[in-house]
Amino acid sequence: MGLEINTLAIIPLMTKMHHPRAAESATKYFLTQATASALILFSTTINAWMTGEWTIMNMTNQIPTVILTLALAIKLGVAPFHLWLPDVLQGLNMLTCLILSTWQKLAPMALMMLTSHQLNTNLLIVMALMSTIIGGWGGLNQTQMRKIMAYSSIAHLGWMILVISFAPSLTLLNLLIYLVLTSSMFLMLMTLNSTNTNKLSISWLKTPTLAASMMVTLMALGGLPPTSGFLPKWLILQEMTKQHLGALSALMAMSALLSLFFYIRLSYTISMTSPPNISNSSLTWRKKKNLTYVIPILITMSAAMMPITPTLLLLN
């Protein structure tokens, strides 16, 4: 019920734009989420039929466990069930994209963490590897910022579900850092009014400080030290090598380079390219935004959470 209320509540926000693309996005989102919810119900029904109890915490049989894993993967947009996410985000405005990329991930991820001890580990590892490779590969040829952020989300979800069977606390840490990075990125894109790479190339003429901050956030999304984005990748790779999964760790690290390439390309677009004409007519008017205090806090958290790693590890 909670998942369905969550799905139905965001549909009006999606159709707010009164555009065919928005209606298409809302329809795709509703059908995908309804299918996933039906699968979750189907999984719990099979489990109740086999064990005699409705709780999802103690699934002993493999069939309901696998169905539940697949249903939560569909809800999150993990590969190979990722195809709905870039198309849905492309038809929405930036604020709804922000909600869809951050808040809407919380409920399915909470369920996944709750049942992490019984989910099929091999299936999760395969989906995680596919997500990081497809998330990096899919974003390489994109010019639309919303689609790039969708593929970035798919790649990050891959890292989260990779380690969920071994250390759920690392998944939670990765999720929190992902929420901070994605929120700061979308808020900056909303402030600069940039929906594609061409508009992004004139952002340094409008707000040079924000353009420089966006470069740092992009590097954090790519996972470069000393930004916050390096912290979860480092800890996850360390945990995977402790589990004697060295080859998998190497593949995950190499697939992260694909994502890093398009983040670097965006940084290059922001900092080193200028539009063909530099007349003032090509610039959009600076509008006063009400998010003035939120963005600096999120940017600081995106860039500077690395030094508090020992504290975070102690909390774990």
Side-chain angles (χ1 to χ4, degrees), residues 53-80:
E53 56 177 33
W54 282 96
T55 176
I56 60 167
M57 289 293 288
N58 301 312
M59 286 187 177
T60 50
N61 199 283
Q62 199 71 359
I63 298 168
T65 311
V66 169
I67 295 171
L68 182 68
T69 311
L70 296 179
L72 292 172
I74 294 169
K75 274 209 165 287
L76 285 166
V78 172

Side-chain angles (χ1 to χ4, degrees), residues 151-290:
Y151 282 110
S152 164
S153 175
I154 292 163
H156 277 90
L157 285 167
W159 283 91
M160 285 179 225
I161 66 163
L162 174 73
V163 80
I164 199 163
S165 300
F166 308 108
S169 56
L170 284 185
T171 300
L172 182 61
L173 174 66
N174 197 346
L175 179 64
L176 292 173
I177 290 176
Y178 161 77
L179 294 178
V180 169
L181 296 177
T182 309
S183 303
S184 62
M185 194 67 201
F186 270 116
L187 289 173
M188 283 189 275
L189 290 172
M190 283 160 62
T191 309
L192 295 170
N193 203 17
S194 302
T195 51
N196 56 34
T197 48
N198 289 338
K199 285 184 181 177
L200 206 61
S201 65
I202 58 165
S203 59
W204 63 273
L205 293 168
K206 289 189 281 186
T207 323
T209 316
L210 204 58
S213 305
M214 192 183 276
M215 284 175 61
V216 176
T217 309
L218 283 165
M219 292 302 101
L221 278 166
L224 282 186
T227 57
S228 305
F230 176 65
L231 168 60
K233 285 188 171 61
W234 164 37
L235 294 175
I236 287 169
L237 288 177
Q238 187 182 17
E239 180 62 35
M240 297 313 286
T241 46
K242 279 181 188 172
Q243 301 290 339
H244 307 291
L245 294 167
L248 181 67
S249 304
L251 280 171
M252 291 294 288
M254 284 192 285
S255 63
L257 294 175
L258 290 168
S259 301
L260 186 61
F261 176 78
F262 65 77
Y263 295 132
I264 289 173
R265 196 187 65 189
L266 284 175
S267 301
Y268 170 77
T269 307
I270 296 164
S271 59
M272 295 183 187
T273 56
S274 55
N277 57 332
I278 52 168
S279 64
N280 290 332
S281 60
S282 66
L283 299 182
T284 51
W285 187 257
R286 290 193 198 188
K287 290 186 287 187
K288 187 171 174 61
K289 298 280 182 181
N290 297 324

